[in-house]
């Protein structure tokens, strides 16, 4: 039985991967078309309006006057042969692939703690809110969750930044200068620890541990503190509300009454019988939340000037760096596809009643 | 005969009094005949039950958080409706073509400007009050568009099934993997235009989610007996869909209206914050965008509009949750 289920699962995964390919192609084409129809002119942004002749030459060089199908075919061919092009405006001449491999670790460093901590705290809060339904505790937790969901992310980020940057600074009469925060990583030219050109994982925390660069490590962690704080708070709200409502539904079931009737302790009724069943709908949300955190991180990166995924995305859209837009979008699409597939597979592990055919 | 009397419009409550002319006979019957009840009295009881259940629904609505939500929305609606009475500064003097000649950008609060000033020296309070109108109006259009489109397409997809359903679901999948944020960022500078284009884009991009939601709802209702009865009776397909299926499946999606309005409001504010908003309209998102860059001088310029934005969105969410809990049969006994 178990073996049959395993083969079924493998078949299902293969089927999903086969469906992925046309979806990926469609997504590629769509983003390509959209990014080329943009009203922003990248050549104008790069060269400037001063000399029309240079502008014209540059346009001919990058193939501005080619027909669209030639451009699309070249782009698709290059994409599948591993050449994702070069950034044109943002970091001129830098390969998009290298740029992405530098950008994404930064965003992952920002996201990893909220993605782990958020669901853990949120399920606890949601379960306790459902347990004390319509009591004081439930009202307080729901209110906090609503505040987290209702107030905009960027507003929270700005307020936290002001709070820590201005009010506490005023309170201590300007004497809150942790020396590490102000050193701003001396001696490091390109913002990474270790010798230039050496081995790097591009995760700054891991790199600074490898090269034993303590100043850089503390600097990175201190800079990550406020954005992570905001992200944890934001990621709490959605899962708390979901866990509460599904928990309320489960607590009404017959098997909970049975468990209580046969004398199981209340804590283990909540934690073992109810919470495990209530987690099923929200387990979907946790992976979706990790993907959604990319777009939450966009605003947070904008406010904290943290040069990660979202910051580059917004800037490249604003200046029309279309190869970079495409690269970032494709990476996100692949991320999303793999993430949803993983979520579906995880779902069968969490809930053995579900089988895929 | 008696039932007709009860349902006729001239019947008033004094007619329901137990007894009347035949009071003694009815009482005797009640005592002597087992299981006999005065039909008038039964009708009267039913009437009371109806009123009671309405009261219960109302009482279920009046949880403390829902009341807070209603008050929040009421506050914003009052701001929007009585805006011209609350501030002396006309709308034209806080919008872009007009730059106040003696305005100091990001000024501290003073008697003239109770909350301080923002970019170009506009009054923050005036911009917040005028922004209430545009924010409330803006949040409804995309939601109605998205819900309407999702409702029609989702019903068609679920009802017909087969290749129609397959094609529709692949389209929805495509829209799901293309990130919403990137699409709006690319589409809005691309199509250009003012606030109306942005609203339409938001609405259209909201359709796929609603298609998926409506589809699951219709798939349940489709199998019910009355649909089969309508089919047997020879009703046309579209008549079955929109007269029998949709009214029975639509209530959850209507309840999700409030959550959708809140999400749209936050999305549009986010767009304004990134700098793609339409600056010819006074919106709170743009206000936060202007203020957030000013860490030291203009703190109020970012904080106040954000608070109003949060109050509106949280109010919508609270009311939506409250209505859902009140109408959901699972939550009351």
């Amino acid at each position: 039985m178990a073996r049959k289920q395993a083969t079924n699962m493998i078949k299902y995964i293969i089927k999903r991967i086969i469906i992925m390919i046309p979806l990926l192609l469609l997504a590629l084409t769509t983003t390509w078309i959209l990014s080329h129809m943009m009203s922003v002119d990248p050549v104008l942004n790069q060269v400037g309006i001063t000399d029309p002749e240079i502008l014209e030459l540059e346009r001919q060089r990058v193939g501005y006057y080619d027909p669209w199908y030639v451009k699309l075919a070249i782009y698709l061919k290059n994409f599948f042969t591993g050449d994702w092009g070069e950034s044109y405006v943002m970091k001129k001449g830098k390969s998009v692939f290298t740029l992405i491999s530098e950008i994404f670790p930064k965003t992952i460093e920002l996201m990893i703690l909220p993605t782990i901590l958020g669901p853990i705290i949120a399920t606890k809060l949601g379960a306790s809110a459902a347990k004390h339904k319509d009591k004081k505790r439930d009202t307080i937790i729901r209110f906090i969750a609503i505040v987290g969901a209702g107030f905009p992310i960027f507003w929270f980020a700005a307020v936290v930044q002001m709070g820590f940057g201005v009010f506490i600074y005023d309170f201590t009469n300007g004497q809150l200068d942790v020396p590490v925060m102000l050193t701003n990583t001396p001696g490091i030219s390109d913002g990474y620890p270790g010798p230039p050109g050496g081995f790097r994982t591009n995760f700054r925390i891991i790199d600074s541990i490898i090269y034993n660069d303590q100043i850089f490590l503390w600097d990175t962690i201190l800079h990550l503190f406020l954005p992570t704080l905001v992200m944890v708070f934001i990621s709490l709200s959605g899962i708390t509300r979901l866990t509460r409502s599904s928990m309320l539904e489960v607590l009404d079931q017959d098997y909970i009454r049975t468990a209580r009737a046969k004398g199981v302790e209340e804590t283990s009724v909540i934690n073992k019988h109810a919470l495990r069943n209530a987690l099923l709908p929200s387990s979907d949300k946790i992976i979706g939340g990790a993907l959604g955190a990319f777009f939450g991180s966009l605003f947070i990166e904008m406010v904290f000037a943290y040069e990660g995924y979202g910051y580059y995305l917004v800037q490249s859209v604003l200046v029309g760096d279309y190869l970079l837009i495409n690269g970032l979008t494709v990476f996100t699409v692949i991320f999303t596809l793999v993430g949803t597939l993983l979520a579906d597979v995880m779902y069968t592990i969490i809930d053995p009643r579900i089988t895929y055919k | 005969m008696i039932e007709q009397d009860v349902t006729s419009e001239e019947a008033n409550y004094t007619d329901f009094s137990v007894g009347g002319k035949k009071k003694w006979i009815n009482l005797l019957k009640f005592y002597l005949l087992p299981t006999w009840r005065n039909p008038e009295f039964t009708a009267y009881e039913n009437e009371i039950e109806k009123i009671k259940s309405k009261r219960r629904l109302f009482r279920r609505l009046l949880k403390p958080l829902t009341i807070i939500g209603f008050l929040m929305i009421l506050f914003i609606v009052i701001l929007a409706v009585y805006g011209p009475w609350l501030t002396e500064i006309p709308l034209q003097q806080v919008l872009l073509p007009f730059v106040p000649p003696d305005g100091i950008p990001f000024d501290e609060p003073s008697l003239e400007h109770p909350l301080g000033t923002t970019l170009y020296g506009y009054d923050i309070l005036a911009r917040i009050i005028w922004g209430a109108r545009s924010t409330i109006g803006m949040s409804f259009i995309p939601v109605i568009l998205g819900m309407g489109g999702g409702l029609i397409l989702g019903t068609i997809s679920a009802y017909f099934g087969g290749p129609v359903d397959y094609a529709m679901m692949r389209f929805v999948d495509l829209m799901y993997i293309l990130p919403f944020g990137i699409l709006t960022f690319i589409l809005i500078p691309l199509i250009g235009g003012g606030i109306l284009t942005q609203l339409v884009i938001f609405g259209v991009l909201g359709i796929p989610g609603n298609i998926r939601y409506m589809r699951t709802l219709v798939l349940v209702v489709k199998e019910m007996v009355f649909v089969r009865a309508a089919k047997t009776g020879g009703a046309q397909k579209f008549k079955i869909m929109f007269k029998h299926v949709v009214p029975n499946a639509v209530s959850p999606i209507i309840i999700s209206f409030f959550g959708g309005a809140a999400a749209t409001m936050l999305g549009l504010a986010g767009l304004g914050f990134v700098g793609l908003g339409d600056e010819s309209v006074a919106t709170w998102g743009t206000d936060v965008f202007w203020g957030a860059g000013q860490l030291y001088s203009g703190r109020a310029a970012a904080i106040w509009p954000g608070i109003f934005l949060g109050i509106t969105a949280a109010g919508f969410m609270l009311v939506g949750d409250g209505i859902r809990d009140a109408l959901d049969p699972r939550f009351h006994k």
Side-chain angles (χ1 to χ4, degrees):
Chain A
M1 188 63 204
R3 202 173 150 199
K4 199 183 169 193
Q5 204 173 349
T7 48
N8 270 346
M9 175 80 91
I10 290 166
K11 270 184 197 166
Y12 174 75
I13 292 172
I14 291 171
K15 216 166 108 187
R16 282 288 296 266
I17 290 172
I18 291 171
I19 294 176
M20 266 183 201
I21 295 168
L23 270 180
L24 183 62
L25 264 178
L26 260 179
L28 262 176
T29 319
T30 318
T31 41
W32 183 87
I33 292 169
L34 287 177
S35 64
H36 273 253
M37 279 159 65
M38 275 197 316
S39 54
V40 188
D41 189 343
V43 181
L44 197 66
N45 276 337
Q46 171 62 25
V47 179
I49 207 160
T50 48
D51 198 342
E53 274 184 27
I54 296 177
L55 196 67
E56 202 63 20
L57 280 174
E58 183 70 11
R59 277 191 174 159
Q60 278 171 9
R61 191 185 73 78
V62 298
Y64 185 78
Y65 296 109
D66 286 351
W68 64 270
Y69 45 86
V70 175
K71 285 186 201 170
L72 177 59
I74 289 174
Y75 175 70
L76 284 181
K77 185 190 141 243
N78 283 344
F79 177 80
F80 282 106
T81 51
D83 175 16
W84 286 23
E86 286 171 358
S87 165
Y88 189 71
V89 189
M90 293 282 293
K91 297 260 166 123
K92 192 168 166 45
K94 202 163 190 174
S95 156
V96 168
F97 208 82
T98 329
L99 202 57
I100 289 176
S101 73
E102 281 174 14
I103 292 169
F104 265 83
K106 283 188 184 175
T107 302
I108 288 171
E109 274 176 336
L110 182 63
M111 275 168 44
I112 191 95
L113 206 61
T115 331
I116 296 168
L117 264 186
I120 293 173
I121 302 173
T123 42
K124 284 283 169 203
L125 284 180
S128 105
K131 195 177 154 192
H132 303 266
K133 191 190 172 221
D134 290 338
K135 303 272 171 54
K136 205 195 246 171
R137 187 184 289 189
D138 178 35
T139 311
I140 292 170
I141 290 175
R142 271 181 72 198
F143 191 76
I144 292 171
I146 286 283
V147 165
F151 282 77
I153 305 171
F154 47 85
W155 182 78
F156 267 117
V159 166
V160 166
Q161 204 182 26
M162 283 171 202
F164 279 80
V166 180
F167 297 123
I168 290 181
Y169 196 79
D170 284 349
F171 181 68
T172 57
N173 275 333
Q175 290 181 349
L176 186 85
D177 23 36
V178 182
V180 180
M181 279 179 96
L182 298 178
T183 49
N184 208 4
T185 64
I188 299 156
S189 54
D190 55 348
Y192 285 96
F199 168 75
R200 267 175 205 164
T201 54
N202 285 332
F203 288 94
R204 289 168 305 167
I205 293 177
I206 296 175
D207 278 352
S208 52
I209 289 170
I210 289 175
Y211 290 107
N212 195 18
D213 192 340
Q214 288 198 13
I215 292 177
F216 197 95
L217 180 67
W218 285 111
D219 187 66
T220 311
I221 290 174
L222 278 175
H223 279 98
L224 279 173
F225 181 70
L226 287 186
T228 311
L229 196 74
V230 179
M231 292 269 293
V232 169
F233 184 65
I234 297 297
S235 64
L236 279 183
S237 53
I239 304 172
T240 305
R241 290 168 74 200
L242 200 76
T243 313
R244 179 182 172 271
S245 63
S246 62
M247 190 79 178
L248 280 178
E249 214 171 291
V250 169
L251 282 177
D252 247 12
Q253 302 284 328
D254 289 339
Y255 56 82
I256 298 294
R257 211 174 308 134
T258 314
R260 277 182 185 148
K262 76 184 182 195
V264 181
E265 278 178 46
E266 186 61 25
T267 50
S268 90
V269 169
I270 296 287
N271 287 334
K272 286 190 179 157
H273 293 72
L275 190 57
R276 288 203 180 175
N277 284 296
L279 272 181
L280 291 176
S282 52
S283 63
D284 243 16
K285 191 93 175 177
I286 289 168
I287 295 219
L291 295 170
F294 262 85
F295 303 107
S297 77
L298 188 149
F299 292 116
I300 287 181
E301 284 171 11
M302 288 275 292
V303 175
F304 287 100
Y306 187 88
E307 298 196 351
Y309 163 80
Y311 181 84
Y312 270 90
L313 181 69
V314 172
Q315 292 302 324
S316 61
V317 167
L318 289 179
V319 297
D321 196 345
Y322 55 93
L323 280 174
L324 189 56
I325 299 174
N326 283 334
L328 289 170
T329 315
V330 168
F331 207 87
T332 321
V333 166
I334 294 172
F335 218 76
T336 320
L337 282 173
V338 175
T340 43
L341 179 59
L342 267 181
D344 284 349
V345 173
M346 292 260 286
Y347 214 63
T348 57
I349 296 169
I350 299 170
D351 188 358
R353 285 169 297 183
I354 293 173
T355 49
Y356 293 114
K357 280 158 197 163
Chain B
M1 267 311 282
I2 295 163
E3 278 184 19
Q4 274 183 2
D5 280 343
V6 171
T7 49
S8 71
E9 289 179 13
E10 291 134 354
N12 51 15
Y13 282 96
T14 50
D15 284 345
F16 291 124
S17 60
V18 189
K21 284 173 189 171
K22 296 179 186 171
K23 188 178 178 184
W24 292 105
I25 302 172
N26 282 340
L27 263 178
L28 265 179
K29 274 183 180 174
F30 179 69
Y31 285 125
L32 295 179
L33 300 175
T35 71
W36 188 90
R37 283 169 70 86
N38 189 350
E40 285 180 16
F41 184 65
T42 318
Y44 186 37
E45 262 189 329
N46 285 344
E47 227 24 61
I48 291 172
E49 278 297 314
K50 269 185 202 165
I51 298 165
K52 250 189 177 173
S53 77
K54 268 181 203 162
R55 276 190 192 149
R56 268 191 213 131
L57 175 66
F58 195 59
R59 208 183 300 149
R60 281 202 301 273
L61 261 180
L62 290 182
K63 297 281 162 56
L65 278 182
T66 320
I67 296 173
I68 293 175
F70 273 121
L71 288 179
M72 283 169 164
I73 293 179
L74 192 70
F75 172 59
I76 299 295
V77 167
I78 286 175
L79 272 193
V81 173
Y82 298 108
W85 295 0
L86 296 173
T87 176
E88 291 178 346
I89 303 170
L91 176 62
Q92 286 76 20
Q93 289 192 12
V94 289
L95 277 181
L96 198 54
F98 176 83
V99 175
D102 54 345
I104 309 155
F106 303 108
D107 197 12
E108 293 288 318
S110 61
L111 270 181
E112 207 174 329
H113 306 292
L115 298 181
T117 59
T118 180
L119 195 66
Y120 308 124
Y122 297 144
D123 186 43
I124 292 179
L125 186 62
R127 264 190 81 90
I128 285 173
I129 289 170
W130 287 109
R133 286 186 179 190
S134 59
T135 308
I136 288 185
M138 273 158 59
S139 60
F140 285 149
I141 298 169
V143 184
I144 291 169
L145 206 68
M147 265 169 39
L151 199 139
I152 295 168
L153 290 177
T155 313
I156 289 173
S157 167
Y159 189 79
F160 282 114
V164 178
D165 190 28
Y166 187 82
M168 202 82 91
M169 280 302 107
R170 291 295 82 78
F171 166 71
V172 171
D173 280 350
L174 177 68
M175 296 298 277
Y176 257 75
I177 56 166
L178 279 177
F180 184 90
I182 298 181
L183 273 185
T184 43
F185 285 161
I186 297 173
L187 275 173
I188 283 168
L190 158 66
I191 299 180
I195 190 77
L196 209 62
T197 344
Q198 291 183 9
L199 298 184
V200 171
I201 289 172
F202 255 78
V204 170
L205 289 180
I207 288 179
N210 282 315
I211 289 182
R212 193 170 267 192
Y213 193 22
M214 192 64 198
R215 184 173 167 272
T216 56
L217 297 174
V218 169
L219 281 179
V220 175
V221 176
K222 199 182 132 188
E223 304 299 327
M224 287 185 180
V225 182
F226 59 86
V227 177
R228 235 180 295 157
K231 265 184 204 165
T232 321
Q236 285 178 327
K237 269 181 187 168
F238 279 88
K239 193 173 180 186
I240 296 175
M241 256 191 264
F242 291 105
K243 281 213 123 173
H244 297 277
V245 176
V246 170
N248 286 293
V250 83
S251 54
I253 215 167
I254 286 179
I255 293 168
S256 76
F257 177 86
F258 290 99
T264 313
M265 198 184 300
L266 293 179
L268 282 167
L271 209 63
F273 179 75
V274 171
L276 293 171
D278 188 352
E279 293 200 353
S280 65
V281 182
T283 57
W284 296 332
T286 316
D287 286 4
V288 179
F289 169 58
W290 285 347
Q294 304 289 321
L295 251 183
Y296 293 93
S297 53
R299 295 168 211 168
I303 292 179
W304 284 110
I307 287 175
F308 280 83
L309 199 60
I311 286 175
T312 323
F316 274 121
M317 283 176 184
L318 285 172
V319 169
D321 280 8
I323 292 176
R324 194 195 59 211
D325 285 358
L327 292 181
D328 200 330
R330 283 173 307 191
F331 288 144
H332 41 82
K333 293 164 189 170

